[in-house]
Amino acid sequence: MRALRLPQLSSLRAFEHPGYLAVWLGALISNIGTWMETVAMGVYVTQETGRAEWTGGIVALAFLPSVVLSPLGGALADRFDRRAYVAVGTAVQLALAAVLTVLAFTGHLSVPIVAVVTLLNGCANTLTYPAFSAMLAELVPPRDLHSAMSLNSAQYNLGRIMGPLLAALVLQAGGPPWALFVNTLSFVGVLVALSRVSMPVRDTPRTVESLWAGITRGISVARADEDISLVLWGTLFVAALVAPFIGLVPVFAINVFGQGAAATSLLVACQGAGAVVAAVLVGTLADSLGHRKLLGFAALSIGGVSALYWMSPTLTVAAAGIFLLGANYLTLMSGLHAFATSRVPRELQARVSSLYSMVLGGAYAAGVWAQGALADRVGLRFVTISASVLFLALVLTLRLLSPRSFERSPS
């Protein structure tokens, strides 16, 4: 596959590297299928149970394994060939998707089964993602790392746009089993892409340290770096207080606006559209403003943008609100991830990435379940708006107490 020459936007520089482009396209195909499954199962669980707690709980199960398994995944990714490691993880996810598909076609699908398969899939994804993230970093030079991370988020969110739209059509035509079937086939895209990529030769020999030593070394490096520590704390609060808007979309569409799968798909797609627009621009903005200033602005604004989204009086206003929120969220999270990863040598990038995933997944799992459970008792809008305002208050407090955290340039 030939590289794309796109010099006019630094945000797109990673596309100039053919290996990165191949993996990006394969991951896009897979994520389209994943979002078809996500919408189908979100609607299924919400309609079957009628409770936000169940919807949030199922979403939480996909991220809960990251609390325990992310550091292990990072250490494994730094020990083995990353391309082969990602291929094995993808094959496991394909098998789990096939199981869910067969159960749906045979009429044996149930909410508890969805919960178990979601948890297992979360384990596989948690163990695979650090290797995938580090593999992307190996496919581009250091100067294009922010571009690579932002574009990776863009393909994830392109899948968020295309997947729900296709899911709405497929659900109307054939129901959940066919959406699950398409998702199963979509994993082939990643396997084909990986077969066409040649990984660069590492500058340093593979580590021979034990798994535990590798895990503790990654944690020690993160703790010793003030900026990485700040990124991880910021990620925790965003994930717990703001990010649950992602998993609670079906509840907002169905329980608040009285709509169904079509409205859920609309909101999910609008979030993805906002994220894609941001991904195209964020690298250029980071080059112009500096990574830290851009992150500071994104952190200051996301609490207010989130609160405005949850206050939307109509579905149309909510669609516009989640577009802005999706753009803000991608700018902040892709920037935090790239910033933390860029501060360590390549042989440690998977481990730092795994710590980011651990904090993000664990805090998101706790946040989406807790907000869903509280929403059943005191109302969705009250809970989510309160969480958004709390995050804004925390950021403003940090701004007042430590303004240099937002202003100084990375060393």
Side-chain angles (χ1 to χ4, degrees), residues 4 23 123 267 306 308 327 368:
L4 295 181
V23 173
C123 293
L267 292 178
S306 176
L308 290 174
V368 74

Side-chain angles (χ1 to χ4, degrees), residues 105-381:
F105 272 113
T106 57
H108 292 94
L109 192 65
S110 67
V111 173
I113 289 175
V114 171
V116 171
V117 174
T118 298
L119 178 63
L120 293 175
N121 192 60
C123 293
N125 187 60
T126 296
L127 290 172
T128 304
Y129 183 75
F132 180 79
S133 179
M135 182 179 69
L136 293 182
E138 285 190 291
L139 293 173
V140 299
R143 77 184 187 104
D144 293 339
L145 180 59
H146 199 148
S147 171
M149 293 297 182
S150 297
L151 290 173
N152 182 50
S153 296
Q155 66 82 9
Y156 181 78
N157 285 283
L158 276 172
R160 192 195 298 268
I161 298 170
M162 300 169 69
L165 295 178
L166 290 174
L169 297 175
V170 172
L171 289 172
Q172 184 176 6
W178 287 101
L180 298 176
F181 176 70
V182 174
N183 177 52
T184 302
L185 294 180
S186 71
F187 286 102
V188 176
V190 178
L191 297 175
V192 171
L194 292 173
S195 70
R196 302 188 59 174
V197 172
S198 296
M199 298 300 296
V201 178
R202 294 194 181 188
D203 297 329
T204 57
R206 296 190 190 280
T207 180
V208 294
E209 62 187 352
S210 68
L211 276 177
W212 180 248
I215 291 171
T216 56
R217 184 183 175 205
I219 294 173
S220 297
V221 169
R223 291 180 61 185
D225 189 301
E226 179 183 345
D227 287 309
I228 295 178
S229 296
L230 182 62
V231 164
L232 295 179
W233 278 108
T235 300
L236 185 146
F237 289 118
V238 176
L241 298 174
V242 178
F245 82 91
I246 300 170
L248 295 175
V249 162
V251 181
F252 201 31
I254 295 171
N255 292 357
V256 175
F257 292 116
Q259 304 290 324
T264 301
S265 297
L266 172 65
L267 292 178
V268 173
C270 285
Q271 181 201 338
V276 170
V277 171
V280 172
L281 300 176
V282 69
T284 303
L285 289 174
D287 287 345
S288 301
L289 301 176
H291 290 189
R292 190 181 294 273
K293 285 187 178 180
L294 181 61
L295 288 176
F297 174 77
L300 282 168
S301 60
I302 195 168
V305 173
S306 176
L308 290 174
Y309 161 68
W310 288 113
M311 288 189 289
S312 299
T314 65
L315 181 63
T316 302
V317 175
I322 203 171
F323 176 90
L324 296 175
L325 184 53
N328 202 153
Y329 184 77
L330 179 135
T331 301
L332 179 58
M333 302 312 288
S334 67
L336 290 173
H337 192 188
F339 184 74
T341 305
S342 67
R343 294 191 61 81
V344 296
R346 291 203 171 199
E347 64 269 18
L348 290 172
Q349 285 177 339
R351 273 167 278 189
V352 170
S353 180
S354 73
L355 294 176
Y356 169 86
S357 298
M358 178 184 71
V359 173
L360 175 62
Y364 176 67
V368 74
W369 175 82
Q371 290 190 30
L374 289 172
D376 286 331
R377 293 158 176 81
V378 298
L380 180 67
R381 290 185 192 267

